[in-house]
């Protein structure tokens, strides 16, 4: 059974940083890409960042370099370092796993999400 468990969310002030973690278990093969998405209540889930099994990274254009995705293969964990946070970054952040790790929502597995709240 595949499980993706996010952690690291919380409430911060504008300009602060947070690092989200996503621990993956049960993936049969190691060649899965991982992605981060976010969703605000009443809006569509949107792509934030992804990293392929080979380590290639992709980001949403709107982030302007504030976020960094990385992964620790030994720990089966993917991270999202979020810097210079803004109130518009407030959302539930989801981790996902897929062999292609594209910018679309077509991922095989999803975590339950972790709330990030940025206040001004």
């Amino acid at each position: 059974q595949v499980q993706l468990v996010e952690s690291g969310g919380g409430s911060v002030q504008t300009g602060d940083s947070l690092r989200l973690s996503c621990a993956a278990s049960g993936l049969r093969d190691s060649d899965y890409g991982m992605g981060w998405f976010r969703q605000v209540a009443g809006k569509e889930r949107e792509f934030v960042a992804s990293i392929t099994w080979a380590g290639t990274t992709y980001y949403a254009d709107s982030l302007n370099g504030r976020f960094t995705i990385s992964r620790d293969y030994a720990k089966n964990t993917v991270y999202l370092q979020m810097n210079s946070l803004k109130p518009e970054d407030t959302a539930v952040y989801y981790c996902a796993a897929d062999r292609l790790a594209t910018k679309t929502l077509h991922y095989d597995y999803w975590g339950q999400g972790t709330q990030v709240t940025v206040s001004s």
Side-chain angles (χ1 to χ4, degrees):
Q1 182 180 358
V2 176
Q3 278 193 315
L4 303 177
V5 180
E6 301 97 335
S7 61
S11 297
V12 296
Q13 301 288 320
T14 297
D16 286 350
S17 298
L18 275 177
R19 189 177 79 156
L20 304 183
S21 300
C22 174
S25 61
L27 292 172
R28 294 183 61 185
D29 301 305
S30 62
D31 57 342
Y32 270 85
M34 305 292 290
W36 286 100
F37 294 77
R38 65 187 181 186
Q39 188 171 22
V40 176
K43 295 187 177 181
E44 293 185 353
R45 191 170 297 188
E46 64 176 10
F47 170 79
V48 175
S50 65
I51 184 167
T52 68
W53 175 74
T56 302
T57 57
Y58 301 93
Y59 295 95
D61 294 338
S62 61
L63 296 177
N64 293 321
R66 296 184 296 118
F67 293 7
T68 303
I69 189 171
S70 61
R71 67 190 299 173
D72 184 326
Y73 293 91
K75 296 182 179 179
N76 290 325
T77 300
V78 64
Y79 304 98
L80 184 67
Q81 177 67 43
M82 305 186 295
N83 298 327
S84 302
L85 283 163
K86 304 175 181 180
E88 50 263 44
D89 295 317
T90 295
V92 177
Y93 284 71
Y94 295 90
C95 171
D98 184 78
R99 293 189 185 278
L100 297 180
T102 67
K103 295 183 178 182
T104 73
L105 296 176
H106 298 135
Y107 277 63
D108 291 333
Y109 305 104
W110 291 86
Q112 293 300 306
T114 185
Q115 176 70 47
V116 172
T117 302
V118 185
S119 56
S120 57

